[in-house]
């Protein structure tokens, strides 16, 4: 079973800062990784799929990179609406989520 | 636009049953794989099950295998989750979600409903 470990658990940043979130897999995923954003009281929203492809309507400040076991989600300049929890997800016959990174206002 | 509306959640005793429904609109429902996800209070999302666009193939998380059954009715543009032998650890918000791929499975969910709360407690 593949385990996804996200770090850090919490990221304290200010609007305008760059955010770098990490997702590490227990075995190689090729590029089969996605990133979701979740705000309180809302369902998760797909941001990035296949490691680096932005989903429809996602702003260009969000970018994903990586392959194999190490993946990164970058937010180039944080907007007030970007403070949320971010999850990575792998897909095989099953779907697996990481534990999440909370991006909070410093 | 794509819309997914879940219903059927509620309070149920351990060992009881519940049937969730998800009504879809704004896209050709029969073309897409569909997924149930859940999220326990204060926890991250957890995949529960998905069903192929044809309805012939379904996969389940080990935690629900043998207790939950996913199904779909394309004529009614609806997805279902029959949940039996419910346990306290099944308490969660249950979301239905559409796969990103059309006529193939991508494994990524690009549209989610607002969720329905299932509480298993005596």
């Amino acid at each position: 079973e593949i385990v996804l470990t996200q770090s850090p658990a919490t990221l304290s940043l200010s609007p305008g800062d760059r955010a770098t979130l990490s997702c590490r897999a227990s075995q190689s995923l090729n590029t089969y990784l996605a990133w979701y954003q979740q705000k309180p009281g809302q369902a998760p929203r797909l941001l990035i799929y296949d490691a680096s492809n932005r989903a429809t309507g996602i702003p260009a400040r969000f970018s994903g990179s990586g392959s194999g076991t190490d993946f990164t989600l970058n937010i180039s300049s944080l907007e007030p609406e970007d403070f949320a929890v971010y999850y990575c997800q792998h897909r095989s016959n099953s779907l697996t989520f990481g534990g999440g990174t909370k991006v909070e206002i410093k | 636009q794509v819309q997914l509306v879940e219903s059927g959640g509620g309070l149920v005793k351990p060992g009881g049953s519940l049937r969730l429904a998800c009504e879809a609109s704004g896209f050709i429902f029969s073309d897409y794989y569909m997924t149930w996800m859940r999220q326990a209070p204060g926890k991250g999302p957890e995949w529960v099950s998905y069903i192929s666009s044809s309805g012939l193939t379904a996969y389940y998380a080990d935690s629900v295998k043998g207790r939950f059954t996913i199904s779909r009715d394309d004529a009614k543009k609806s997805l279902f989750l029959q949940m039996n032998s419910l346990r306290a650890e099944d308490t969660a918000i249950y979301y239905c979600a559409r796969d990103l791929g059309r006529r193939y499975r991508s494994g990524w969910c690009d549209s989610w409903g607002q969720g329905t709360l299932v509480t298993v407690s005596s």
Side-chain angles (χ1 to χ4, degrees):
Chain A
E1 180 187 335
I2 291 173
V3 176
L4 300 178
T5 302
Q6 291 188 241
S7 62
T10 304
L11 204 48
S12 298
L13 296 168
S14 301
D17 286 348
R18 179 182 184 85
T20 300
L21 287 67
S22 173
C23 178
R24 178 162 290 178
S26 58
Q27 55 186 279
S28 178
L29 306 183
N30 196 339
T31 57
Y32 299 140
L33 190 99
W35 291 92
Y36 294 82
Q37 176 195 67
Q38 188 175 30
K39 298 178 183 179
Q42 296 184 17
R45 177 174 72 143
L46 180 66
L47 299 175
I48 302 287
Y49 64 94
D50 290 341
S52 61
N53 295 311
R54 268 190 304 277
T56 301
I58 301 304
R61 64 181 181 273
F62 292 92
S63 64
S65 63
S67 65
T69 61
D70 289 296
F71 299 86
T72 301
L73 173 69
N74 282 299
I75 311 171
S76 59
S77 177
L78 283 164
E79 296 288 339
E81 62 268 27
D82 299 337
F83 292 91
V85 181
Y86 293 82
Y87 295 98
C88 57
Q89 180 229 319
H90 168 59
R91 61 101 166 165
S92 56
N93 283 340
S94 61
L95 308 180
T96 306
F97 287 88
T101 291
K102 181 179 182 181
V103 179
E104 65 175 22
I105 299 176
K106 186 174 182 180
Chain B
Q1 75 280 20
V2 175
Q3 198 166 9
L4 299 167
V5 180
E6 302 92 339
S7 60
L11 175 63
V12 61
K13 289 182 168 52
S17 298
L18 215 51
R19 188 185 194 221
L20 305 183
C22 169
E23 188 170 338
S25 60
F27 64 102
I28 302 173
F29 181 73
S30 57
D31 279 355
Y32 290 84
Y33 279 63
M34 296 296 296
T35 298
W36 285 102
M37 301 280 200
R38 69 184 180 183
Q39 190 165 24
K43 303 291 186 182
E46 178 191 13
W47 167 68
V48 173
S49 177
Y50 67 79
I51 187 167
S52 63
S53 51
S54 67
L56 297 178
T57 304
Y59 281 87
Y60 299 91
D62 288 344
S63 58
V64 307
K65 201 173 295 182
R67 301 187 298 123
F68 290 12
T69 302
I70 191 171
S71 62
R72 62 190 298 157
D73 183 336
D74 289 348
K76 295 182 178 178
K77 299 182 182 179
S78 292
L79 178 72
F80 303 100
L81 186 68
Q82 178 66 43
M83 305 187 296
N84 298 331
S85 304
L86 282 161
R87 306 166 180 167
E89 54 265 35
D90 295 318
T91 294
I93 296 173
Y94 283 72
Y95 296 99
C96 97
R98 187 190 78 166
D99 192 278
L100 174 67
R102 183 176 177 185
R103 298 180 185 157
Y104 72 95
R105 177 182 171 254
S106 74
W108 319 126
C109 292
D110 70 338
S111 297
W112 298 56
Q114 86 291 345
T116 187
L117 178 62
V118 172
T119 303
V120 184
S121 174
S122 54

